[in-house]
């Protein structure tokens, strides 16, 4: 098995619900707590397994906002595991999930240096490295109904932009989406072979905006009057 | 990269210690230079072992969970950090047998302690190499991902070692032109190698904001990182010193690290008192300390691309190429000014 996520950059609205749901589930999960520093202070900070960033792609007027949620890619060539001197970081052979054994970690930050995706964050309170577990304490939990055996971020996404599944299975939903939508990987040139795959925005007909208001004499006068009245 | 003070001290001090040991073994065991007295041999050995040990102890300073530091020997098979730890510790028994031989038998040691001394010197080189490879093997930091990184670590360790070796020899009145000559050659070689490194990293290329975000056919700009305060990532990788700071420190690296020590040794060769070799030793250690700070400060991790850097060499503040998203601020109906509440004419109503 090669478990991972598919994230649809077309439908993601950048609401950060996945990041918050992740924090909520995992702070009381197996690798919790996700410590917050100065939570009610001027500059609240803390550990997150999932972060959403927002980008502008293209130049005005042919530009577009794209939201990119990022968590651990559970890379096939996970250098974070190779560089770890203590053996705290490991990649599970059975499903490819990359985890940190917090009892072994010495907090040297070396794995975070080796990760190009910023997936690992040191918990300064606990002194150990923390990262996305792909909700390993949830996806195998037989106490939960089958539809809930998915990572918290996937279940919570209101835009249905996140999918979880086995990339080794050609018939899984994630494999089908990657195939049909032309899934892409971040920084493939580094050779980490990330499992998580991103679906590019769909190519659609632009929404016409020039016919919303015709540029006529009457509307010009109206605009001028409105401006004067407003003053 | 955020320069961790403990790592700078560790690599500079123990690097010089390993360099000193390599020089000691080469001069003593290969019979180069003048015969050394019992006391001088012990002084060199004690200084090198003391510096190495001090450095290694300082290296645990940046660990967030020191009680697990012993586990760093566990992944010799894949991790250069683990290899460094193993070689650094493996050095001790061999250096110890050699040191014991010198302590008991004086300069004319038997074949077994001599062999141990040679092995310890080889392990010293391997440890310096492993230290360099800790950084050199990271594909995420293009400035470090070069063979020049371990080469620099070895050469700078040896160069600082030679200055210390010459300085300690003066205490025993045993400094010769050979000491000064070897130090000058090592310093010049290290300076050339470091110069090649600086030239190299001024033109590295690699991942860009485009390959990081998967949009290779358009300009990509960061709109928002999604957090209001700093994170672990911005603290660790967001370090962006000013260009003139970097230039000044680089000047210091060459002046204090290489030029001043070479001038000191040149003046010793032309008749100045040998004791000023200590100036060279102190100056080179300070210069290499600055070099180590710069080594971290100039390294740009690729995760910065997600935080707005356009290329893996840019600072975070440098704007994207391509047309600006918002019209220039000279236009009174400019969206940006409206957003800032700066209405034309200054009517604040």
């Amino acid at each position: 098995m090669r478990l991972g996520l598919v994230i649809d950059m077309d439908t993601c609205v950048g609401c950060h619900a996945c990041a918050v749901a992740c924090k909520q589930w995992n702070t009381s999960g197996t690798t919790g707590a996700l410590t917050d520093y100065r939570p009610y202070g001027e500059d609240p900070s803390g550990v997150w397994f999932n972060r959403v960033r927002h980008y502008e792609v293209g130049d005005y007027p042919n530009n577009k906002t794209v939201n990119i949620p990022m968590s651990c890619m559970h890379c096939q060539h996970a250098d974070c595991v190779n560089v770890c001197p203590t053996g705290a970081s490991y990649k599970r052979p059975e499903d490819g999930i990359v985890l940190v054994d917090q009892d072994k970690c010495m907090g040297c930050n070396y794995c975070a240096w080796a990760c190009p995706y910023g997936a690992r964050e040191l918990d300064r309170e606990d002194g150990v490295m923390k990262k996305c577990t792909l909700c390993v304490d949830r996806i195998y939990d037989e106490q939960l109904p089958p539809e809930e055996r998915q990572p918290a971020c996937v279940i919570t996404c209101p835009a249905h932009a996140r999918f979880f599944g086995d990339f080794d299975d050609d018939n899984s939903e994630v494999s089908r989406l990657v195939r049909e939508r032309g899934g892409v990987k971040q920084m493939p040139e580094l050779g980490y072979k990330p499992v998580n795959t991103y679906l590019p925005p769909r190519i659609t007909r632009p929404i016409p905006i020039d016919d919303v208001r015709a540029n006529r004499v009457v509307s010009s006068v109206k605009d001028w009057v409105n401006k004067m009245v407003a003053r | 990269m955020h320069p961790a003070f403990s790592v700078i001290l560790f690599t500079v001090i123990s690097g010089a210690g390993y360099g000193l040991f390599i020089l000691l073994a080469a001069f003593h065991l290969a019979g180069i230079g003048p015969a050394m007295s019992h006391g001088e041999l012990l002084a060199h050995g004690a200084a090198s072992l003391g510096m190495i040990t001090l450095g290694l102890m300082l290296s645990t300073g940046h660990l967030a969970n020191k009680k697990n530091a012993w586990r760093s020997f566990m992944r010799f098979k894949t991790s250069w950090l683990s290899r460094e730890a193993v070689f650094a510790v493996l050095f001790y028994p061999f250096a110890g047998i050699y040191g014991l031989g010198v302590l008991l038998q004086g300069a004319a040691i038997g074949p077994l302690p001599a062999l141990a001394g040679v092995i310890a010197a080889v392990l010293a080189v391997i440890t310096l190499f492993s230290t360099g490879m800790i950084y050199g093997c990271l594909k995420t930091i293009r400035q470090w991902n070069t063979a020049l990184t371990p080469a620099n670590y070895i050469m700078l360790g040896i160069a600082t070692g030679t200055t210390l070796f010459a300085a300690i020899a003066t205490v025993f009145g045993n400094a010769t032109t050979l000491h000064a000559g070897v130090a000058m050659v090592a310093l010049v070689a290290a300076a050339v190698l470091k110069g090649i490194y600086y030239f190299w990293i001024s033109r590295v290329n690699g991942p860009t904001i485009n390959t990081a975000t998967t949009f290779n056919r358009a300009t990509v700009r960061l709109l928002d990182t999604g957090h209001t305060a700093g994170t672990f990532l911005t603290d660790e990788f967001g370090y962006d010193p000013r260009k003139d700071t970097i230039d000044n420190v680089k000047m210091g690296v060459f002046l204090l690290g290489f030029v001043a020590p070479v001038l000191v040794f040149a003046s010793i060769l032309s008749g100045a008192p040998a004791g000023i070799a200590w100036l060279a030793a102190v100056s080179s250690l300070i210069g290499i300390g600055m070099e180590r700070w710069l080594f971290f400060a100039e390294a740009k991790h690729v995760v910065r691309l997600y935080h707005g850097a356009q290329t893996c060499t840019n600072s975070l503040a440098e704007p994207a190429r391509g047309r600006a998203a918002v019209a220039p601020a000279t236009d009174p109906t400019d969206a940006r000014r409206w957003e800032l509440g700066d209405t034309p004419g200054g009517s604040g109503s």
Side-chain angles (χ1 to χ4, degrees):
Chain A
M1 273 208 296
R2 184 155 52 102
L3 296 181
L5 301 173
V6 160
I7 294 162
D8 191 344
M9 294 189 289
D10 191 70
T11 50
C12 176
V13 294
C15 68
H16 295 249
C18 53
V20 175
C22 165
K23 180 117 174 162
Q24 185 272 333
W25 175 264
N26 284 297
T27 200
S28 48
T30 50
T31 56
L34 275 65
T35 311
D36 280 326
Y37 321 120
R38 308 170 303 278
Y40 303 105
E42 232 173 55
D43 50 350
S45 181
V47 181
W48 294 73
F49 292 173
N50 188 0
R51 290 186 184 273
V52 187
R53 303 186 182 93
H54 312 275
Y55 300 90
E56 177 192 23
V57 177
D59 295 322
Y60 177 84
N62 303 306
N63 54 349
K64 178 179 173 60
T65 301
V66 176
N67 309 298
I68 307 184
M70 287 177 65
S71 52
C72 175
M73 308 279 169
H74 300 282
C75 300
Q76 285 176 271
H77 294 170
D79 249 12
C80 54
V81 173
N82 295 335
V83 303
C84 175
T86 64
S89 280
Y90 62 104
K91 186 171 173 67
R92 300 184 359 151
E94 64 269 33
D95 53 16
I97 298 179
V98 177
L99 293 173
V100 180
D101 183 340
Q102 305 207 339
D103 291 336
K104 292 182 181 169
C105 177
M106 65 175 190
C108 69
N109 286 353
Y110 196 22
C111 57
W113 292 8
C115 175
Y117 306 111
R120 288 166 169 261
E121 301 196 9
L122 182 80
D123 186 327
R124 293 197 174 91
E125 208 72 29
D126 294 355
V128 293
M129 198 54 74
K130 298 192 173 175
K131 66 176 290 298
C132 159
T133 64
L134 210 60
C135 285
V136 71
D137 45 7
R138 174 164 196 148
I139 57 178
Y140 293 112
D141 188 351
E142 292 181 1
Q143 305 289 316
L144 293 171
E147 67 274 16
E148 281 187 29
R149 291 178 208 162
Q150 296 193 69
C153 57
V154 173
I155 294 176
T156 211
C157 178
H160 201 48
R162 301 176 73 96
F163 305 87
F164 163 72
D166 178 11
F167 285 73
D168 272 347
D169 175 6
D170 276 350
N171 298 315
S172 67
E173 187 182 27
V174 286
S175 296
R176 184 182 58 76
L177 281 166
V178 170
R179 204 163 52 231
E180 290 174 0
R181 296 273 309 277
V184 285
K185 310 274 189 186
Q186 296 182 340
M187 279 192 270
E189 68 273 31
L190 289 184
Y192 283 65
K193 290 204 161 192
V195 172
N196 286 12
T197 307
Y198 288 80
L199 304 180
R202 289 181 180 87
I203 296 171
T204 52
R205 198 160 52 85
I207 301 165
I209 49 166
D210 52 344
D211 62 345
V212 174
R213 201 141 187 271
N215 194 15
R216 282 175 299 133
V217 180
V218 178
S219 60
S220 303
V221 172
K222 263 186 188 170
D223 282 349
W224 182 81
V225 171
N226 283 338
K227 226 184 235 173
M228 289 299 109
V229 170
R231 279 190 188 183
Chain B
M1 296 290 294
H2 172 75
F5 195 55
S6 65
V7 176
I8 294 175
L9 283 181
F10 154 56
T11 54
V12 172
I13 293 175
S14 65
Y18 285 120
L20 179 57
F21 189 89
I22 292 162
L23 261 288
L24 168 65
F27 270 62
H28 179 213
L29 299 173
I32 304 169
M36 284 183 275
S37 69
H38 195 197
E40 190 186 350
L41 284 171
L42 287 177
H44 285 305
S48 68
L49 288 180
M51 291 178 78
I52 291 166
T53 309
L54 175 68
L56 289 175
M57 285 185 335
L58 286 169
S59 74
T60 58
H62 79 293
L63 301 181
N65 193 16
K66 293 184 183 59
K67 71 172 167 33
N68 277 348
W70 64 274
R71 287 190 184 271
S72 59
F73 304 105
M74 305 301 275
R75 282 294 177 273
F76 182 82
K77 225 172 138 183
T78 61
S79 170
W80 280 105
L81 183 49
S82 203
R83 287 170 194 162
E84 185 209 34
V86 169
F87 287 126
V89 168
L90 203 58
F91 167 84
Y92 278 100
F94 292 101
I97 293 170
Y98 170 65
L100 207 63
V102 171
L103 193 67
L104 299 177
Q105 300 167 315
I109 55 171
L112 194 69
L115 181 67
V118 172
I119 294 173
V122 171
L123 283 169
V125 176
I126 294 175
T127 307
L128 285 173
F129 176 73
S130 301
T131 307
M133 281 307 290
I134 289 175
Y135 309 103
C137 76
L138 292 174
K139 282 181 279 191
T140 47
I141 299 165
R142 301 297 297 160
Q143 288 81 3
W144 290 355
N145 193 214
T146 157
L148 290 167
T149 302
N152 271 319
Y153 269 84
I154 294 174
M155 211 46 232
L156 292 170
I158 290 175
T160 43
T162 56
T163 61
L164 280 168
F165 189 68
I168 293 171
T170 62
V171 176
F172 297 89
N174 200 20
T176 61
T177 52
L178 185 67
H179 286 81
V182 166
M184 285 169 75
V185 169
L187 285 163
V188 169
V192 168
L193 208 53
K194 198 66 217 180
I196 296 172
Y197 173 83
Y198 287 135
F199 174 80
W200 177 267
I201 68 164
S202 68
R203 54 204 68 213
V204 289
N205 54 23
T208 63
I209 195 170
N210 300 91
T211 65
T213 57
T214 74
F215 296 98
N216 294 320
R217 288 172 293 189
T219 318
V220 179
R221 293 176 190 84
L222 177 74
L223 289 179
D224 197 282
T225 51
H227 44 76
T228 50
T231 69
F232 168 75
L233 298 173
T234 59
D235 289 351
E236 189 75 2
F237 306 118
Y239 196 71
D240 246 345
R242 288 152 49 109
K243 174 88 171 60
D244 51 351
T245 309
I246 284 186
D247 290 344
N248 290 340
V249 175
K250 199 171 283 178
M251 193 96 85
V253 170
F254 280 101
L255 287 180
L256 291 176
F258 305 120
V259 175
V262 166
L263 288 179
V264 167
F265 286 116
S267 55
I268 289 174
L269 287 182
S270 51
I276 60 168
W278 282 104
L279 285 179
V282 171
S283 172
S284 72
L285 281 175
I286 294 170
I288 303 313
M290 294 167 88
E291 179 275 336
R292 215 44 52 87
W293 180 87
L294 205 55
F295 178 75
F296 286 95
E298 280 198 297
K300 310 272 191 223
H301 194 281
V302 292
V303 82
R304 295 158 57 90
L305 300 171
Y306 294 107
H307 293 81
Q310 288 289 316
T311 71
C312 56
T313 52
N314 273 19
S315 85
L316 292 172
E318 276 171 73
R321 284 186 297 273
R323 269 167 294 153
V326 189
T330 47
D331 180 358
T333 59
D334 174 34
R336 189 193 284 156
R337 293 182 68 177
W338 178 80
E339 209 173 51
L340 294 171
D342 179 17
T343 49
S347 64
S349 58

